[in-house]
Amino acid sequence: MGLLHGWQTCPRCRTPLEGEASPLHCSGCGSTYYANSAPCVSALVEDAEGRLLLSRRAVEPYLGLWDCPGGFLEEGEHPFDGLRRELQEETGLSVGPARFVGIWMDVYGDAPEAAATLNIYWNVRVDGGEPVAADDVSELRWFRADALPGPDELAFDTVADALAVWRQGKEPRAY
Ligand SMILES: [Zn+2]
């Protein structure tokens, strides 16, 4: 299972790899390959009315299901720079300051080689502009906290977890 699933030869020099899962070692060129969780960033985007922006996925896995705007970090990219980049690419929105929400572990689909993902969530407020779906998003829609899509309509388990935390923060408190 995971990133190195099915790896038999070194991608650099074609020598057969040694090892069971992670790490795999190449005796030909000395390379070692580790399977780390892929870091992803996601935004719980709110508008002035306290509604949450969800994005409908235009790509597999989970094509057609609701997700939070975000995506994979690029090599060497700071997570918050990645968040701003993904928001710009998928929604066209720029956002104000962010509040850290949490980190959840997940898997990117059901395939044997599916990457384990480390998902970092922030809560952000839109500072103006209307969202326009682009890139790997087919639709963007604002949801009230009491009218979020059900678990069957959500792409990843992680999305349900993050939404639950967000919704909890919206509930009236007696103290
Ligand atoms: Zn090698």
Side-chain angles (χ1 to χ4, degrees), residues 9-17 25-33:
T9 57
C10 174
R12 293 204 173 98
C13 76
R14 307 291 171 207
T15 302
L17 289 167
H25 184 71
C26 173
S27 59
C29 69
S31 295
T32 302
Y33 299 100

mmCIF file of all heavy atoms in Angstrom, residues 9-17 25-33, ligand 1:
data_model
loop_
_atom_site.group_PDB
_atom_site.id
_atom_site.type_symbol
_atom_site.label_atom_id
_atom_site.label_comp_id
_atom_site.label_asym_id
_atom_site.label_seq_id
_atom_site.Cartn_x
_atom_site.Cartn_y
_atom_site.Cartn_z
ATOM 1 N N THR A 9 12.273 -1.491 -9.690
ATOM 2 C CA THR A 9 13.618 -1.072 -10.079
ATOM 3 C C THR A 9 13.809 0.407 -9.764
ATOM 4 O O THR A 9 12.843 1.177 -9.679
ATOM 5 C CB THR A 9 13.862 -1.292 -11.588
ATOM 6 O OG1 THR A 9 12.860 -0.569 -12.312
ATOM 7 C CG2 THR A 9 13.789 -2.766 -11.951
ATOM 8 N N CYS A 10 15.069 0.772 -9.607
ATOM 9 C CA CYS A 10 15.401 2.159 -9.273
ATOM 10 C C CYS A 10 15.051 3.070 -10.457
ATOM 11 O O CYS A 10 15.485 2.829 -11.581
ATOM 12 C CB CYS A 10 16.900 2.242 -8.965
ATOM 13 S SG CYS A 10 17.482 3.929 -8.697
ATOM 14 N N PRO A 11 14.268 4.150 -10.229
ATOM 15 C CA PRO A 11 13.922 5.050 -11.340
ATOM 16 C C PRO A 11 15.135 5.837 -11.865
ATOM 17 O O PRO A 11 15.067 6.388 -12.960
ATOM 18 C CB PRO A 11 12.881 5.988 -10.724
ATOM 19 C CG PRO A 11 13.063 5.886 -9.257
ATOM 20 C CD PRO A 11 13.641 4.538 -8.969
ATOM 21 N N ARG A 12 16.222 5.847 -11.106
ATOM 22 C CA ARG A 12 17.413 6.578 -11.560
ATOM 23 C C ARG A 12 18.344 5.708 -12.392
ATOM 24 O O ARG A 12 18.915 6.168 -13.378
ATOM 25 C CB ARG A 12 18.190 7.131 -10.358
ATOM 26 C CG ARG A 12 17.430 8.222 -9.610
ATOM 27 C CD ARG A 12 18.364 9.133 -8.845
ATOM 28 N NE ARG A 12 17.638 10.270 -8.281
ATOM 29 C CZ ARG A 12 17.218 10.328 -7.009
ATOM 30 N NH1 ARG A 12 17.493 9.359 -6.174
ATOM 31 N NH2 ARG A 12 16.548 11.388 -6.595
ATOM 32 N N CYS A 13 18.529 4.424 -11.998
ATOM 33 C CA CYS A 13 19.546 3.610 -12.692
ATOM 34 C C CYS A 13 19.051 2.220 -13.081
ATOM 35 O O CYS A 13 19.806 1.442 -13.652
ATOM 36 C CB CYS A 13 20.812 3.514 -11.841
ATOM 37 S SG CYS A 13 20.640 2.366 -10.459
ATOM 38 N N ARG A 14 17.768 1.911 -12.781
ATOM 39 C CA ARG A 14 17.131 0.648 -13.206
ATOM 40 C C ARG A 14 17.612 -0.601 -12.471
ATOM 41 O O ARG A 14 17.255 -1.714 -12.848
ATOM 42 C CB ARG A 14 17.301 0.405 -14.725
ATOM 43 C CG ARG A 14 16.836 1.566 -15.597
ATOM 44 C CD ARG A 14 15.350 1.728 -15.556
ATOM 45 N NE ARG A 14 14.931 2.955 -16.214
ATOM 46 C CZ ARG A 14 13.820 3.625 -15.915
ATOM 47 N NH1 ARG A 14 13.034 3.180 -14.969
ATOM 48 N NH2 ARG A 14 13.503 4.717 -16.548
ATOM 49 N N THR A 15 18.429 -0.465 -11.438
ATOM 50 C CA THR A 15 18.833 -1.618 -10.625
ATOM 51 C C THR A 15 17.637 -2.088 -9.801
ATOM 52 O O THR A 15 16.870 -1.258 -9.310
ATOM 53 C CB THR A 15 19.979 -1.210 -9.666
ATOM 54 O OG1 THR A 15 21.067 -0.728 -10.445
ATOM 55 C CG2 THR A 15 20.431 -2.371 -8.796
ATOM 56 N N PRO A 16 17.442 -3.416 -9.650
ATOM 57 C CA PRO A 16 16.351 -3.891 -8.783
ATOM 58 C C PRO A 16 16.490 -3.327 -7.368
ATOM 59 O O PRO A 16 17.598 -3.262 -6.826
ATOM 60 C CB PRO A 16 16.533 -5.415 -8.792
ATOM 61 C CG PRO A 16 17.215 -5.700 -10.086
ATOM 62 C CD PRO A 16 18.136 -4.528 -10.326
ATOM 63 N N LEU A 17 15.357 -2.901 -6.796
ATOM 64 C CA LEU A 17 15.374 -2.282 -5.459
ATOM 65 C C LEU A 17 15.328 -3.333 -4.366
ATOM 66 O O LEU A 17 14.753 -4.414 -4.550
ATOM 67 C CB LEU A 17 14.177 -1.337 -5.326
ATOM 68 C CG LEU A 17 14.259 -0.053 -6.148
ATOM 69 C CD1 LEU A 17 12.897 0.636 -6.191
ATOM 70 C CD2 LEU A 17 15.321 0.891 -5.580
ATOM 71 N N HIS A 25 15.877 0.544 -1.053
ATOM 72 C CA HIS A 25 17.257 0.955 -1.275
ATOM 73 C C HIS A 25 17.777 0.409 -2.603
ATOM 74 O O HIS A 25 17.467 -0.709 -2.995
ATOM 75 C CB HIS A 25 18.141 0.468 -0.127
ATOM 76 C CG HIS A 25 19.559 0.936 -0.252
ATOM 77 N ND1 HIS A 25 19.919 2.258 -0.053
ATOM 78 C CD2 HIS A 25 20.694 0.267 -0.572
ATOM 79 C CE1 HIS A 25 21.219 2.368 -0.254
ATOM 80 N NE2 HIS A 25 21.723 1.182 -0.570
ATOM 81 N N CYS A 26 18.578 1.225 -3.304
ATOM 82 C CA CYS A 26 19.196 0.800 -4.559
ATOM 83 C C CYS A 26 20.700 0.620 -4.339
ATOM 84 O O CYS A 26 21.395 1.572 -3.973
ATOM 85 C CB CYS A 26 18.962 1.861 -5.639
ATOM 86 S SG CYS A 26 19.879 1.500 -7.153
ATOM 87 N N SER A 27 21.166 -0.605 -4.591
ATOM 88 C CA SER A 27 22.597 -0.871 -4.407
ATOM 89 C C SER A 27 23.388 -0.381 -5.618
ATOM 90 O O SER A 27 24.613 -0.273 -5.571
ATOM 91 C CB SER A 27 22.832 -2.370 -4.181
ATOM 92 O OG SER A 27 22.348 -3.098 -5.302
ATOM 93 N N GLY A 28 22.691 -0.078 -6.718
ATOM 94 C CA GLY A 28 23.370 0.384 -7.928
ATOM 95 C C GLY A 28 23.905 1.804 -7.799
ATOM 96 O O GLY A 28 25.067 2.071 -8.086
ATOM 97 N N CYS A 29 23.059 2.730 -7.353
ATOM 98 C CA CYS A 29 23.465 4.138 -7.287
ATOM 99 C C CYS A 29 23.423 4.693 -5.873
ATOM 100 O O CYS A 29 23.739 5.865 -5.649
ATOM 101 C CB CYS A 29 22.607 4.991 -8.209
ATOM 102 S SG CYS A 29 20.892 5.167 -7.683
ATOM 103 N N GLY A 30 22.990 3.859 -4.910
ATOM 104 C CA GLY A 30 22.997 4.305 -3.520
ATOM 105 C C GLY A 30 21.775 5.102 -3.105
ATOM 106 O O GLY A 30 21.716 5.608 -1.982
ATOM 107 N N SER A 31 20.784 5.224 -4.000
ATOM 108 C CA SER A 31 19.578 5.991 -3.637
ATOM 109 C C SER A 31 18.725 5.229 -2.634
ATOM 110 O O SER A 31 18.680 3.995 -2.650
ATOM 111 C CB SER A 31 18.730 6.270 -4.879
ATOM 112 O OG SER A 31 19.410 7.111 -5.778
ATOM 113 N N THR A 32 18.052 5.976 -1.773
ATOM 114 C CA THR A 32 17.072 5.406 -0.861
ATOM 115 C C THR A 32 15.757 6.144 -1.074
ATOM 116 O O THR A 32 15.739 7.369 -1.231
ATOM 117 C CB THR A 32 17.529 5.563 0.603
ATOM 118 O OG1 THR A 32 18.798 4.926 0.750
ATOM 119 C CG2 THR A 32 16.548 4.909 1.546
ATOM 120 N N TYR A 33 14.657 5.383 -1.127
ATOM 121 C CA TYR A 33 13.344 5.983 -1.393
ATOM 122 C C TYR A 33 12.430 5.787 -0.196
ATOM 123 O O TYR A 33 12.192 4.668 0.235
ATOM 124 C CB TYR A 33 12.728 5.365 -2.657
ATOM 125 C CG TYR A 33 13.593 5.605 -3.867
ATOM 126 C CD1 TYR A 33 14.443 4.606 -4.345
ATOM 127 C CD2 TYR A 33 13.596 6.841 -4.501
ATOM 128 C CE1 TYR A 33 15.265 4.837 -5.440
ATOM 129 C CE2 TYR A 33 14.411 7.082 -5.588
ATOM 130 C CZ TYR A 33 15.239 6.072 -6.059
ATOM 131 O OH TYR A 33 16.052 6.309 -7.137
HETATM 132 ZN ZN ZN B 1 19.720 3.329 -8.485
#
